[in-house]
Amino acid sequence: MKSSEIKFKINLDDKNLPKSIQWDASDKEGDGDEATKSISLNVWDNLNHSTLRIDLWTDDMSVVEMKRFYIDILGGMAQTILNATGDEFMSEEMKELCDRLVKHVNEENKNAAK
């Protein structure tokens, strides 16, 4: 049986807020840690039948990047739910939400540029 490992290293400031985030994975291309501005980790808790969440981001992640990050996450979830369950309705609803959110963010950015 093959084993794979993912590691996160979080450097915190004096208020315990993430100052930098690095990650590495045994199956990723290239060697060594890579920097990122945000992670969102979700784990299914079998015992309590609920989701455990860890959402971390550094202070240099812009609001625009954060919104894009979560739109991308929702889009990925839409594909995963389709692959895992075959539920086309749920997948399409999530994709449509992503489309609406992209329009919203684009409109915000356009208005901010004026």
Side-chain angles (χ1 to χ4, degrees), residues 54-73:
I54 299 172
D55 294 301
L56 299 173
W57 60 94
T58 60
D59 59 0
D60 64 336
M61 185 165 198
S62 71
V63 170
V64 171
E65 288 174 315
M66 182 64 81
K67 290 179 180 185
R68 171 71 189 272
F69 179 55
Y70 278 94
I71 292 169
D72 285 351
I73 288 171

Side-chain angles (χ1 to χ4, degrees), residues 54-102:
I54 299 172
D55 294 301
L56 299 173
W57 60 94
T58 60
D59 59 0
D60 64 336
M61 185 165 198
S62 71
V63 170
V64 171
E65 288 174 315
M66 182 64 81
K67 290 179 180 185
R68 171 71 189 272
F69 179 55
Y70 278 94
I71 292 169
D72 285 351
I73 288 171
L74 284 169
M77 289 172 28
Q79 187 60 52
T80 298
I81 197 70
L82 181 62
N83 294 346
T85 68
D87 190 329
E88 292 181 18
F89 175 81
M90 203 168 166
S91 178
E92 284 303 314
E93 289 292 313
M94 293 169 79
K95 287 178 187 176
E96 288 175 16
L97 172 59
C98 288
D99 290 343
R100 289 193 307 273
L101 292 172
V102 166

